């Protein structure tokens, strides 16, 4: 395995090949907890790893440097997938000082204790010299926790970006040019949609700060290092953070006896216009991680539910709650669905979710009793054509 980013700077992290659930995020390709070792006059580690992987991490570090030679451990982020190995690390690297922002230090202490550990708090603009290299710190709050920090090495134009620009992608390779770029970009999009999307404004600020830096390589705390294509992932983040949409329509729904399914299909029929990509998603058969990823850059959507016990279908409630958390209001949409003996039910509740989410609701809720008639299905096709019109206008102004 090639681990060298630059002479004297190596990846020393851990690969979690079998993880499939990361606090509800379906990690179909596993994950990595990246950590980097800089060997200089003073040796420094950038980020610990998840505590379950401490031994692998320790082995990777000590293959290259003696444990007592580690002078600094930088903590760019307090979330336990990175910081939980610190408790073992303070014993294993007895001469290391922990460099972290005040918020990062406080959060790690809340999780692990360690108020008496050897801390040095850092803030934006602080620098620590390792000899021939410098660690320069930039706080990037809410990308995606309050403690998030970038560490930059100006001599190599290397940005350690913690979760930003990351992907959950377990591989034996370490660099973007060693795997299919389309797959790395797909995983980066899934990561952005499911972890970073609610914090678009903070991402914009961080991109502004990083925009003043010369960047030759980006080393995130998950997945592949952007050695060949750092500009591509920065450009993708600029688009996502600006809430740019693609000519894409997503119709997602759940159905009891296929009445809402029939209407969903009619909407797709009407929406399927040249230049548009239309997806139909049955939410009870599709993971939230995939739904969120398709929703991220869709220009328009329709959300449907039949009625169960006077309420919407539970999987639709979960989906609408999850996408509401993404805080994306750049979409045109409407609600639809069926009901039985209770005149108010699933479709009305979907409408309530859409109102709360702040979306641009482009037509009254398309609701109907029991089974959609041919005339109602034609209404669905008409609503689909309206979605297509809105989607094309949003992406081709
Ligand atoms: Fe990879 Fe926000 O932790």
């Amino acid at each position: 395995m090639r681990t060298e980013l630059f002479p004297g700077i190596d990846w020393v992290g851990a690969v979690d090949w079998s993880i499939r659930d990361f606090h509800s995020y379906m990690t179909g390709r596993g994950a990595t907890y990246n950590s980097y070792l800089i060997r200089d006059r003073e040796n420094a580690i950038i980020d610990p790893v998840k505590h379950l992987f401490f031994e692998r991490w320790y082995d990777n570090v000590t293959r290259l440097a003696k444990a007592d030679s580690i002078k600094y451990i930088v903590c760019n982020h307090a979330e336990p997938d990175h910081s939980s190995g610190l408790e073992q690390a303070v014993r294993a690297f007895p001469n290391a000082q922990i460099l972290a922002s005040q918020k990062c230090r406080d959060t790690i202490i809340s999780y692990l204790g360690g108020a008496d550990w050897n801390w040095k708090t850092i803030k934006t603009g602080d620098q620590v010299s390792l000899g021939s290299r410098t660690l320069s710190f930039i706080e990037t709050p809410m990308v995606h926790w309050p403690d998030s920090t970038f560490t930059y090495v100006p001599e190599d134009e290397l940005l350690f970006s913690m979760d930003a620009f990351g992907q959950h992608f377990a591989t034996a390779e370490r660099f973007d040019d060693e795997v299919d770029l389309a797959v790395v970009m797909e995983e980066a999009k899934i990561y952005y949609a499911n972890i970073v999307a609610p914090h678009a404004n903070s991402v914009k600020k961080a991109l502004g700060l990083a925009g003043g830096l010369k960047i030759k390589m980006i080393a995130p705390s998950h997945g592949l290092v952007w050695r060949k294509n750092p500009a591509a992932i920065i450009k993708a983040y600029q688009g996502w953070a600006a809430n740019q949409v693609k000519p894409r329509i997503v119709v997602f729904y759940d159905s009891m006896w296929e009445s809402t399914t029939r209407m969903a299909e009619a909407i797709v029929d009407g929406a399927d216009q040249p230049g548009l990509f239309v997806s139909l998603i049955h939410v009870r058969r599709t993971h939230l991680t995939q739904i969120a990823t398709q929703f991220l850059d869709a220009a328009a959507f329709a959300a449907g539910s039949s009625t169960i016990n006077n309420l919407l279908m539970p999987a639709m409630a979960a989906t609408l709650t999850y996408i509401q958390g993404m805080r994306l209001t750049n979409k045109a949409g409407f609600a639809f669905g069926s009901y039985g003996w209770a005149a108010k039910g699933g479709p009305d509740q979907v409408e309530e979710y859409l109102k709360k989410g702040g979306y641009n609701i482009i037509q009254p809720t398309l609701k109907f009793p029991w089974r959609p008639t041919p005339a109602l299905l034609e209404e669905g096709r008409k609503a689909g054509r309206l979605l297509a019109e809105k989607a094309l206008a949003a992406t081709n102004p």
Side-chain angles (χ1 to χ4, degrees):
M1 184 194 298
R2 290 196 296 148
T3 59
E4 187 180 272
L5 280 69
F6 291 101
I9 304 183
D10 285 83
W11 179 93
V12 288
V15 181
D16 191 346
W17 292 96
S18 58
I19 187 172
R20 291 294 178 269
D21 177 88
F22 189 98
H23 59 51
S24 295
Y25 177 153
M26 183 183 65
T27 47
R29 288 190 168 100
T32 70
Y33 313 109
N34 292 346
S35 172
Y36 302 92
L37 173 67
I38 305 178
R39 284 171 288 159
D40 207 315
R41 194 179 68 225
E42 314 276 23
N43 292 339
I45 293 171
I46 310 295
D47 286 319
V49 297
K50 191 176 184 177
H51 66 290
L52 298 172
F53 291 81
F54 173 80
E55 284 180 20
R56 295 164 177 88
W57 177 52
Y58 181 82
D59 289 349
N60 287 343
V61 172
T62 54
R63 265 191 302 110
L64 298 170
K66 289 199 163 98
D68 61 5
S69 76
I70 304 301
K71 181 72 190 292
Y72 300 110
I73 299 174
V74 176
C75 287
N76 278 331
H77 183 23
E79 196 165 5
D81 52 323
H82 308 286
S83 70
S84 59
L86 195 56
E87 192 170 13
Q88 293 144 291
V90 292
R91 291 192 294 273
F93 302 114
N95 299 321
Q97 185 170 47
I98 307 160
L99 306 181
S101 70
Q102 186 70 46
K103 281 187 178 147
C104 190
R105 174 188 181 277
D106 293 348
T107 309
I108 290 174
I109 289 171
S110 298
Y111 274 108
L112 302 177
D116 59 343
W117 295 345
N118 183 10
W119 295 94
K120 178 183 166 80
T121 54
I122 51 86
K123 58 184 183 318
T124 296
D126 285 355
Q127 295 195 325
V128 169
S129 174
L130 302 178
S132 66
R133 289 180 162 109
T134 312
L135 303 177
S136 180
F137 303 102
I138 305 161
E139 289 172 274
T140 55
M142 296 318 299
V143 183
H144 66 121
W145 275 27
D147 52 85
S148 304
T149 305
F150 287 172
T151 299
Y152 178 64
V153 179
E155 293 82 1
D156 300 296
E157 300 176 1
L158 168 62
L159 183 68
F160 295 107
S161 61
M162 51 94 215
D163 283 347
F165 312 120
Q167 333 93 47
H168 281 318
F169 191 3
T171 61
E173 289 72 33
R174 300 275 64 87
F175 298 96
D176 60 338
D177 50 281
E178 296 177 314
V179 298
D180 183 342
L181 182 62
V183 178
V184 195
M185 291 303 293
E186 181 196 355
E187 288 298 336
K189 182 181 176 187
I190 297 170
Y191 192 91
Y192 184 93
N194 286 277
I195 300 280
V196 188
H199 310 290
N201 286 335
S202 304
V203 173
K204 269 191 238 172
K205 280 185 204 155
L207 288 169
L209 293 167
L213 306 173
K214 287 186 176 168
I215 295 176
K216 196 177 282 174
M217 201 183 296
I218 297 175
S221 55
H222 294 293
L224 282 304
V225 173
W226 299 96
R227 176 168 69 179
K228 187 172 179 194
N229 302 286
I233 188 62
I234 289 173
K235 185 165 179 247
Y237 262 60
Q238 284 166 338
W240 294 326
N243 289 336
Q244 286 175 1
V245 290
K246 297 256 164 74
R248 175 191 292 276
I249 293 172
V250 183
V251 178
F252 55 96
Y253 73 100
D254 195 357
S255 186
M256 284 179 74
W257 291 107
E258 305 304 317
S259 294
T260 301
T261 304
R262 292 291 311 279
M263 183 56 78
E265 289 168 355
I267 294 165
V268 167
D269 249 8
D272 184 20
Q273 303 289 327
L276 282 173
F277 182 78
V278 186
S279 316
L280 181 60
I281 298 174
H282 189 304
V283 299
R284 197 156 20 103
R285 296 173 192 149
T286 312
H287 199 280
L288 287 170
T289 305
Q290 295 166 316
I291 299 170
T293 306
Q294 295 215 33
F295 192 69
L296 175 69
D297 55 5
F301 70 96
S305 177
S306 52
T307 301
I308 183 166
N309 302 328
N310 294 357
L311 299 168
L312 77 172
M313 298 290 281
M316 266 311 276
T319 301
L320 290 162
T321 302
Y322 195 69
I323 63 167
Q324 194 177 314
M326 296 169 78
R327 296 187 209 148
L328 300 169
T329 55
N330 57 336
K331 302 188 194 304
F334 65 88
F336 67 96
S338 64
Y339 58 90
W341 60 93
K344 267 184 124 28
D348 304 278
Q349 292 204 325
V350 172
E351 180 186 309
E352 287 305 309
Y353 272 96
L354 301 193
K355 283 182 183 162
K356 269 191 240 159
Y359 307 106
N360 172 22
I361 299 174
I362 57 168
Q363 72 152 59
T365 294
L366 187 51
K367 60 179 182 174
F368 50 90
W370 305 113
R371 205 72 170 161
T373 60
L376 274 162
L377 290 174
E378 187 47 42
E379 284 295 301
R381 282 186 278 274
K382 191 172 148 201
R385 287 192 288 275
L386 180 61
L387 271 187
E389 200 180 290
K390 298 287 180 188
L392 287 168
T395 50
N396 297 297

